[in-house]
Amino acid sequence: MTVVGVAFLVVGLIFVVLAPHTLVRDLRRSRRAATWQPAQALVEGVRQERRRSTSGTDGGSSSHTVRLMTYAWADASGRRFTEETQIDDDDIVEPGRPVQIFVDPDDPSRSQFGRPSAVSYGCGVVMLLFLLVLGLGLAGIGWMLLGV
């Protein structure tokens, strides 16, 4: 039971440390991106890419398709930048069409397509809180199994 207890404790503590770290990082990123300036960009291309992921000890793998969009914009001095980003299936974009992006005023080479919605942000917070509670639960089980 000692090995199982240690495993529960370690996995639980990993969740407890990673959940708040991820939440704080995402909060800072969202707050910073909220100050970025809206700008127009032109869609240069849209493509699909098949991505494979391996999981489990048996080496099994699965694949899924993602949509990627490449867009270009220019800063006030005329320097041109391009970015590729993953987009949702319901995003309607075509090459040659304008899209709204948000550009970092301190570094015009940095941009993002769209801003996180309040709903997606709220879901992220709920998920991270769930992981935090799960981590505390696993760590507690490990603590009890160790008989400490």
PDB file of all heavy atoms in Angstrom, residues 57-75:
ATOM      1  N   THR A  57       0.057   2.859 -22.460  1.00  0.00           N
ATOM      2  CA  THR A  57       1.284   2.073 -22.423  1.00  0.00           C
ATOM      3  C   THR A  57       1.385   1.117 -23.597  1.00  0.00           C
ATOM      4  O   THR A  57       2.465   0.625 -23.904  1.00  0.00           O
ATOM      5  CB  THR A  57       1.361   1.262 -21.118  1.00  0.00           C
ATOM      6  OG1 THR A  57       0.184   0.453 -21.014  1.00  0.00           O
ATOM      7  CG2 THR A  57       1.455   2.183 -19.920  1.00  0.00           C
ATOM      8  N   ASP A  58       0.256   0.869 -24.280  1.00  0.00           N
ATOM      9  CA  ASP A  58       0.285  -0.048 -25.413  1.00  0.00           C
ATOM     10  C   ASP A  58       0.749   0.637 -26.696  1.00  0.00           C
ATOM     11  O   ASP A  58       0.858  -0.009 -27.737  1.00  0.00           O
ATOM     12  CB  ASP A  58      -1.081  -0.690 -25.628  1.00  0.00           C
ATOM     13  CG  ASP A  58      -2.159   0.335 -25.963  1.00  0.00           C
ATOM     14  OD1 ASP A  58      -1.878   1.547 -25.886  1.00  0.00           O
ATOM     15  OD2 ASP A  58      -3.274  -0.097 -26.299  1.00  0.00           O
ATOM     16  N   GLY A  59       1.024   1.949 -26.633  1.00  0.00           N
ATOM     17  CA  GLY A  59       1.509   2.669 -27.813  1.00  0.00           C
ATOM     18  C   GLY A  59       0.422   2.978 -28.815  1.00  0.00           C
ATOM     19  O   GLY A  59       0.711   3.353 -29.947  1.00  0.00           O
ATOM     20  N   GLY A  60      -0.829   2.815 -28.423  1.00  0.00           N
ATOM     21  CA  GLY A  60      -1.936   3.136 -29.323  1.00  0.00           C
ATOM     22  C   GLY A  60      -1.933   4.614 -29.674  1.00  0.00           C
ATOM     23  O   GLY A  60      -1.462   5.451 -28.922  1.00  0.00           O
ATOM     24  N   SER A  61      -2.447   4.925 -30.835  1.00  0.00           N
ATOM     25  CA  SER A  61      -2.463   6.329 -31.235  1.00  0.00           C
ATOM     26  C   SER A  61      -3.810   6.669 -31.847  1.00  0.00           C
ATOM     27  O   SER A  61      -4.548   5.802 -32.304  1.00  0.00           O
ATOM     28  CB  SER A  61      -1.339   6.626 -32.227  1.00  0.00           C
ATOM     29  OG  SER A  61      -1.547   5.921 -33.431  1.00  0.00           O
ATOM     30  N   SER A  62      -4.091   7.943 -31.820  1.00  0.00           N
ATOM     31  CA  SER A  62      -5.304   8.439 -32.459  1.00  0.00           C
ATOM     32  C   SER A  62      -4.921   9.680 -33.249  1.00  0.00           C
ATOM     33  O   SER A  62      -3.860  10.266 -33.040  1.00  0.00           O
ATOM     34  CB  SER A  62      -6.370   8.771 -31.407  1.00  0.00           C
ATOM     35  OG  SER A  62      -5.911   9.811 -30.580  1.00  0.00           O
ATOM     36  N   SER A  63      -5.785  10.060 -34.149  1.00  0.00           N
ATOM     37  CA  SER A  63      -5.492  11.263 -34.917  1.00  0.00           C
ATOM     38  C   SER A  63      -6.755  12.096 -35.035  1.00  0.00           C
ATOM     39  O   SER A  63      -7.870  11.595 -34.923  1.00  0.00           O
ATOM     40  CB  SER A  63      -4.948  10.900 -36.297  1.00  0.00           C
ATOM     41  OG  SER A  63      -5.916  10.208 -37.042  1.00  0.00           O
ATOM     42  N   HIS A  64      -6.543  13.360 -35.238  1.00  0.00           N
ATOM     43  CA  HIS A  64      -7.650  14.281 -35.436  1.00  0.00           C
ATOM     44  C   HIS A  64      -7.200  15.362 -36.421  1.00  0.00           C
ATOM     45  O   HIS A  64      -6.010  15.568 -36.628  1.00  0.00           O
ATOM     46  CB  HIS A  64      -8.120  14.890 -34.115  1.00  0.00           C
ATOM     47  CG  HIS A  64      -7.063  15.694 -33.411  1.00  0.00           C
ATOM     48  ND1 HIS A  64      -6.045  15.111 -32.707  1.00  0.00           N
ATOM     49  CD2 HIS A  64      -6.873  17.018 -33.322  1.00  0.00           C
ATOM     50  CE1 HIS A  64      -5.263  16.051 -32.216  1.00  0.00           C
ATOM     51  NE2 HIS A  64      -5.739  17.223 -32.569  1.00  0.00           N
ATOM     52  N   THR A  65      -8.146  16.024 -37.010  1.00  0.00           N
ATOM     53  CA  THR A  65      -7.848  17.053 -37.996  1.00  0.00           C
ATOM     54  C   THR A  65      -8.092  18.423 -37.387  1.00  0.00           C
ATOM     55  O   THR A  65      -9.093  18.633 -36.709  1.00  0.00           O
ATOM     56  CB  THR A  65      -8.730  16.880 -39.249  1.00  0.00           C
ATOM     57  OG1 THR A  65      -8.505  15.559 -39.767  1.00  0.00           O
ATOM     58  CG2 THR A  65      -8.395  17.886 -40.309  1.00  0.00           C
ATOM     59  N   VAL A  66      -7.163  19.338 -37.610  1.00  0.00           N
ATOM     60  CA  VAL A  66      -7.314  20.712 -37.154  1.00  0.00           C
ATOM     61  C   VAL A  66      -7.270  21.640 -38.358  1.00  0.00           C
ATOM     62  O   VAL A  66      -6.677  21.316 -39.384  1.00  0.00           O
ATOM     63  CB  VAL A  66      -6.213  21.115 -36.147  1.00  0.00           C
ATOM     64  CG1 VAL A  66      -6.313  20.294 -34.882  1.00  0.00           C
ATOM     65  CG2 VAL A  66      -4.832  20.982 -36.750  1.00  0.00           C
ATOM     66  N   ARG A  67      -7.933  22.780 -38.244  1.00  0.00           N
ATOM     67  CA  ARG A  67      -7.901  23.811 -39.284  1.00  0.00           C
ATOM     68  C   ARG A  67      -6.900  24.876 -38.870  1.00  0.00           C
ATOM     69  O   ARG A  67      -6.913  25.348 -37.736  1.00  0.00           O
ATOM     70  CB  ARG A  67      -9.273  24.448 -39.470  1.00  0.00           C
ATOM     71  CG  ARG A  67     -10.263  23.536 -40.135  1.00  0.00           C
ATOM     72  CD  ARG A  67     -11.630  24.190 -40.290  1.00  0.00           C
ATOM     73  NE  ARG A  67     -11.577  25.306 -41.228  1.00  0.00           N
ATOM     74  CZ  ARG A  67     -12.327  26.396 -41.137  1.00  0.00           C
ATOM     75  NH1 ARG A  67     -13.177  26.540 -40.155  1.00  0.00           N
ATOM     76  NH2 ARG A  67     -12.220  27.339 -42.032  1.00  0.00           N
ATOM     77  N   LEU A  68      -6.047  25.247 -39.804  1.00  0.00           N
ATOM     78  CA  LEU A  68      -5.047  26.274 -39.556  1.00  0.00           C
ATOM     79  C   LEU A  68      -5.252  27.416 -40.545  1.00  0.00           C
ATOM     80  O   LEU A  68      -5.500  27.192 -41.725  1.00  0.00           O
ATOM     81  CB  LEU A  68      -3.640  25.702 -39.708  1.00  0.00           C
ATOM     82  CG  LEU A  68      -3.298  24.551 -38.765  1.00  0.00           C
ATOM     83  CD1 LEU A  68      -1.993  23.903 -39.175  1.00  0.00           C
ATOM     84  CD2 LEU A  68      -3.213  25.043 -37.334  1.00  0.00           C
ATOM     85  N   MET A  69      -5.145  28.637 -40.046  1.00  0.00           N
ATOM     86  CA  MET A  69      -5.279  29.812 -40.888  1.00  0.00           C
ATOM     87  C   MET A  69      -3.980  30.607 -40.820  1.00  0.00           C
ATOM     88  O   MET A  69      -3.423  30.807 -39.735  1.00  0.00           O
ATOM     89  CB  MET A  69      -6.428  30.696 -40.394  1.00  0.00           C
ATOM     90  CG  MET A  69      -6.528  32.023 -41.124  1.00  0.00           C
ATOM     91  SD  MET A  69      -7.828  33.113 -40.491  1.00  0.00           S
ATOM     92  CE  MET A  69      -7.221  33.519 -38.860  1.00  0.00           C
ATOM     93  N   THR A  70      -3.506  31.057 -41.972  1.00  0.00           N
ATOM     94  CA  THR A  70      -2.370  31.966 -42.039  1.00  0.00           C
ATOM     95  C   THR A  70      -2.913  33.339 -42.404  1.00  0.00           C
ATOM     96  O   THR A  70      -3.696  33.469 -43.349  1.00  0.00           O
ATOM     97  CB  THR A  70      -1.353  31.510 -43.103  1.00  0.00           C
ATOM     98  OG1 THR A  70      -0.950  30.164 -42.803  1.00  0.00           O
ATOM     99  CG2 THR A  70      -0.138  32.410 -43.124  1.00  0.00           C
ATOM    100  N   TYR A  71      -2.522  34.348 -41.649  1.00  0.00           N
ATOM    101  CA  TYR A  71      -2.966  35.711 -41.942  1.00  0.00           C
ATOM    102  C   TYR A  71      -1.771  36.652 -41.903  1.00  0.00           C
ATOM    103  O   TYR A  71      -0.739  36.351 -41.316  1.00  0.00           O
ATOM    104  CB  TYR A  71      -4.076  36.162 -40.980  1.00  0.00           C
ATOM    105  CG  TYR A  71      -3.707  36.153 -39.515  1.00  0.00           C
ATOM    106  CD1 TYR A  71      -3.151  37.283 -38.914  1.00  0.00           C
ATOM    107  CD2 TYR A  71      -3.938  35.038 -38.720  1.00  0.00           C
ATOM    108  CE1 TYR A  71      -2.833  37.293 -37.572  1.00  0.00           C
ATOM    109  CE2 TYR A  71      -3.628  35.040 -37.376  1.00  0.00           C
ATOM    110  CZ  TYR A  71      -3.074  36.173 -36.801  1.00  0.00           C
ATOM    111  OH  TYR A  71      -2.759  36.179 -35.479  1.00  0.00           O
ATOM    112  N   ALA A  72      -1.915  37.805 -42.571  1.00  0.00           N
ATOM    113  CA  ALA A  72      -0.837  38.786 -42.662  1.00  0.00           C
ATOM    114  C   ALA A  72      -1.370  40.162 -42.296  1.00  0.00           C
ATOM    115  O   ALA A  72      -2.516  40.494 -42.580  1.00  0.00           O
ATOM    116  CB  ALA A  72      -0.270  38.797 -44.075  1.00  0.00           C
ATOM    117  N   TRP A  73      -0.524  40.951 -41.681  1.00  0.00           N
ATOM    118  CA  TRP A  73      -0.855  42.330 -41.344  1.00  0.00           C
ATOM    119  C   TRP A  73       0.416  43.151 -41.394  1.00  0.00           C
ATOM    120  O   TRP A  73       1.515  42.615 -41.473  1.00  0.00           O
ATOM    121  CB  TRP A  73      -1.518  42.419 -39.965  1.00  0.00           C
ATOM    122  CG  TRP A  73      -0.594  42.235 -38.804  1.00  0.00           C
ATOM    123  CD1 TRP A  73      -0.039  43.196 -38.015  1.00  0.00           C
ATOM    124  CD2 TRP A  73      -0.079  40.997 -38.299  1.00  0.00           C
ATOM    125  NE1 TRP A  73       0.764  42.641 -37.058  1.00  0.00           N
ATOM    126  CE2 TRP A  73       0.747  41.296 -37.200  1.00  0.00           C
ATOM    127  CE3 TRP A  73      -0.241  39.654 -38.656  1.00  0.00           C
ATOM    128  CZ2 TRP A  73       1.420  40.307 -36.480  1.00  0.00           C
ATOM    129  CZ3 TRP A  73       0.420  38.678 -37.934  1.00  0.00           C
ATOM    130  CH2 TRP A  73       1.232  39.007 -36.862  1.00  0.00           C
ATOM    131  N   ALA A  74       0.265  44.479 -41.354  1.00  0.00           N
ATOM    132  CA  ALA A  74       1.409  45.385 -41.379  1.00  0.00           C
ATOM    133  C   ALA A  74       1.291  46.361 -40.226  1.00  0.00           C
ATOM    134  O   ALA A  74       0.185  46.726 -39.810  1.00  0.00           O
ATOM    135  CB  ALA A  74       1.467  46.134 -42.696  1.00  0.00           C
ATOM    136  N   ASP A  75       2.434  46.778 -39.690  1.00  0.00           N
ATOM    137  CA  ASP A  75       2.409  47.775 -38.626  1.00  0.00           C
ATOM    138  C   ASP A  75       2.367  49.176 -39.236  1.00  0.00           C
ATOM    139  O   ASP A  75       2.292  49.332 -40.462  1.00  0.00           O
ATOM    140  CB  ASP A  75       3.586  47.590 -37.666  1.00  0.00           C
ATOM    141  CG  ASP A  75       4.944  47.867 -38.294  1.00  0.00           C
ATOM    142  OD1 ASP A  75       5.001  48.300 -39.476  1.00  0.00           O
ATOM    143  OD2 ASP A  75       5.961  47.657 -37.606  1.00  0.00           O
TER     144      ASP A  75
END
